[in-house]
Amino acid sequence: MKTSELFNLFGKIIDSGEVNYFFEANPSFKIERPSCGSQYAISNNNGVDLLFEPDDGAQGGKTKNLRKIQSMFLYSEGKDGHEEYKGDIPLGFNFSDTRKDLITKSTPQRTWKIGQGEVDVDFPNPSHDRWEFEGFFISAHYSRKTGQTMYFIITRRKA
């Protein structure tokens, strides 16, 4: 699966022709039931989850015509039952990169520690770092125990 295929889906409604064609060409995706206006499509085999929700976030009521791809999750091997995502990762990032490698490739826009909020980039053992690129955000989420990158989340930057 090519990363460009995934990026072309950003902002597309879940039942659009483009999204339906993508799912037909990639039958490993399981489309979950919607919950509070959010809906996931999960492919453990490809190491990818897609999040569909309205532009203004999750909400109750009928939202099928509002649910667009807002985020994609790219998983490392074994995380949450996924195989490792094999496509290109923006900014030249790789799952084998250490946090130091990622920061050397690009300085994060924000560093976060769950329970403390935003922290300095040199904070030891943060929960994740986030970068901004080409109208998107990418965040690397780290294991508390090992510091390894568990997954990347790429999200549309909303105006």
Side-chain angles (χ1 to χ4, degrees):
M1 171 176 312
K2 294 183 179 179
T3 304
S4 60
E5 288 180 278
L6 294 169
F7 270 89
N8 288 337
L9 296 175
F10 270 110
K12 303 282 194 270
I13 294 175
I14 192 164
D15 63 351
S16 68
E18 298 97 331
V19 172
N20 285 325
Y21 178 78
F22 175 81
F23 288 141
E24 286 172 15
N26 296 281
S28 69
F29 278 90
K30 177 185 171 209
I31 301 171
E32 305 248 307
R33 293 178 53 96
S35 176
C36 299
S38 293
Q39 189 170 12
Y40 284 89
I42 296 171
S43 176
N44 290 337
N45 295 345
N46 288 308
V48 177
D49 291 353
L50 304 173
L51 171 62
F52 295 82
E53 64 183 10
D55 284 338
D56 52 356
Q59 54 190 292
K62 296 186 182 280
T63 60
K64 187 171 186 178
N65 65 331
L66 301 175
R67 289 193 302 268
K68 300 175 184 176
I69 293 184
Q70 303 292 344
S71 299
M72 69 173 81
F73 298 72
L74 309 177
Y75 288 93
S76 65
E77 183 66 35
K79 181 63 184 160
D80 293 337
H82 289 78
E83 292 181 25
E84 186 164 293
Y85 176 69
K86 300 296 185 203
D88 293 332
I89 299 171
L91 302 177
F93 291 167
N94 295 292
F95 288 108
S96 60
D97 289 336
T98 65
R99 179 171 183 261
K100 183 178 178 181
D101 294 335
L102 297 176
I103 291 170
T104 298
K105 289 180 179 185
S106 182
T107 303
Q109 171 215 20
R110 183 186 84 183
T111 300
W112 193 266
K113 178 68 175 177
I114 293 174
Q116 295 186 37
E118 191 167 348
V119 295
D120 289 332
V121 72
D122 59 357
F123 186 86
N125 197 23
S127 304
H128 72 262
D129 289 302
R130 183 176 81 179
W131 296 261
E132 193 172 341
F133 74 101
E134 301 174 12
F136 294 92
F137 294 111
I138 183 170
S139 54
H141 296 257
Y142 311 110
S143 166
R144 277 186 288 169
K145 293 178 182 175
T146 66
Q148 296 288 114
T149 302
M150 300 181 298
Y151 55 90
F152 293 98
I153 300 175
I154 300 171
T155 305
R156 282 190 335 147
R157 184 169 181 228
K158 298 173 188 161

